[in-house]
Amino acid sequence: MIDYLFANNEIKGWIFDLDGVITDTARYHYLAWKKLADEENLIFDEKINEKLRGISRRASLEIILRGKTFPEDKIEQMMARKNSYYCEFLNELSEENILPGIMPLLNNLKFLGIKMAIGSASRNTEFILEHLGIGHYFDGVASGSFVVRAKPAPDVFIHAAGQLGLPVADCVVVEDAEAGVNGAKGAGFRTIGIGPADRVGQADLRLDSTENLKDLIS
Ligand code: B16
Ligand code: MG
């Protein structure tokens, strides 16, 4: 598997998902959705939150609403409210919130001259990178702000590969969400899944934790 991923050193670009790979903001998403759900008398718990991994803001709200319908202006207002709660939590983010193994990997890839990009569903990508202080590592930043179709559509990764000036076959995508791995794999990227097999087992290489990433390149 590792041979397939790294054969002939032909990986020229690494595309990283943000939430769940570079940093773990799932708790903040949970607390912000929970506050909104409580205000709106909607049932929401950590189990439902797990389904929102890698899913866009709108698709997340649709899952929480469970078929309940609202006028578009109310939907927009609820998404904005959730995001304002979420951004309050994001203000607490710092380099201490970068997941284990990420900094050694980014430094090694930079040293080797391998291009790197972010491919995230989050419209808060730039804000998060700024708080983490690692924006300068990336030659491209593709996010939910730039593409119409959210994951599992591969658009955000294809946009990232385009920013790197590389064909998809030369890039590996690192993802923690089933939707992200499926989207990237279906588009011809090589994939590394972070997390349990029942979530990212379909990736070309699955690792339990970001900590294991640093052993791939040294
Ligand atoms: P926002 P990723 C995703 O980020 C999160 O995993 C997902 O839970 C969230 O709903 C989505 O971003 C949209 O985030 O509300 O900040 O635009 O994993 O693709 O980096
Ligand atoms: Mg993610």
Side-chain angles (χ1 to χ4, degrees):
M1 205 61 90
I2 293 195
D3 291 350
Y4 162 69
L5 266 175
F6 297 105
N8 308 321
N9 288 334
E10 57 182 37
I11 291 183
K12 300 191 179 83
W14 281 61
I15 299 172
F16 294 89
D17 173 57
L18 186 60
D19 292 348
V21 170
I22 299 281
T23 186
D24 188 7
T25 51
R27 183 83 196 147
Y28 296 157
H29 279 296
Y30 170 73
L31 293 171
W33 282 125
K34 179 74 181 149
K35 188 168 177 188
L36 179 88
D38 287 350
E39 288 166 358
E40 297 290 335
N41 287 318
L42 299 163
I43 296 166
F44 183 66
D45 58 22
E46 307 230 18
K47 207 170 156 211
I48 303 172
N49 191 57
E50 189 53 33
K51 293 187 193 157
L52 312 184
R53 195 178 276 269
I55 300 291
S56 74
R57 197 179 304 170
R58 180 175 287 267
S60 299
L61 181 57
E62 281 166 8
I63 289 171
I64 294 167
L65 292 178
R66 294 169 190 224
K68 259 192 175 182
T69 54
F70 287 99
E72 180 58 22
D73 60 341
K74 173 74 177 174
I75 296 278
E76 295 280 348
Q77 190 263 355
M78 284 193 280
M79 288 193 296
R81 196 146 35 105
K82 179 270 174 176
N83 196 52
S84 73
Y85 302 148
Y86 178 58
C87 287
E88 279 175 38
F89 292 117
L90 289 184
N91 277 322
E92 295 170 13
L93 270 190
S94 73
E95 60 188 38
E96 287 173 21
N97 298 97
I98 297 170
L99 283 167
I102 292 296
M103 286 319 298
L105 177 66
L106 296 186
N107 283 320
N108 284 339
L109 291 172
K110 190 107 191 145
F111 179 75
L112 293 169
I114 293 173
K115 291 182 179 177
M116 293 177 265
I118 294 287
S120 169
S122 177
R123 290 167 182 251
N124 294 296
T125 292
E126 280 80 6
F127 188 60
I128 294 171
L129 288 176
E130 200 178 304
H131 276 271
L132 299 178
I134 53 169
H136 57 285
Y137 280 88
F138 301 102
D139 307 288
V141 176
S143 76
S145 307
F146 298 105
V147 296
V148 175
R149 295 191 311 164
K151 300 171 188 177
D155 302 22
V156 79
F157 304 124
I158 291 170
H159 185 46
Q163 287 178 321
L164 298 183
L166 293 171
V168 299
D170 288 356
C171 299
V172 63
V173 169
V174 189
E175 255 289 351
D176 70 310
E178 188 177 3
V181 171
N182 287 342
K185 210 173 167 189
F189 289 93
R190 277 167 277 190
T191 50
I192 299 176
I194 307 293
D198 63 356
R199 196 172 78 210
V200 291
Q202 71 281 31
D204 296 309
L205 174 67
R206 187 195 67 78
L207 301 172
D208 286 328
S209 152
T210 54
E211 183 127 40
N212 310 120
L213 280 168
K214 66 179 191 311
D215 304 326
L216 297 179
I217 303 276
S218 53

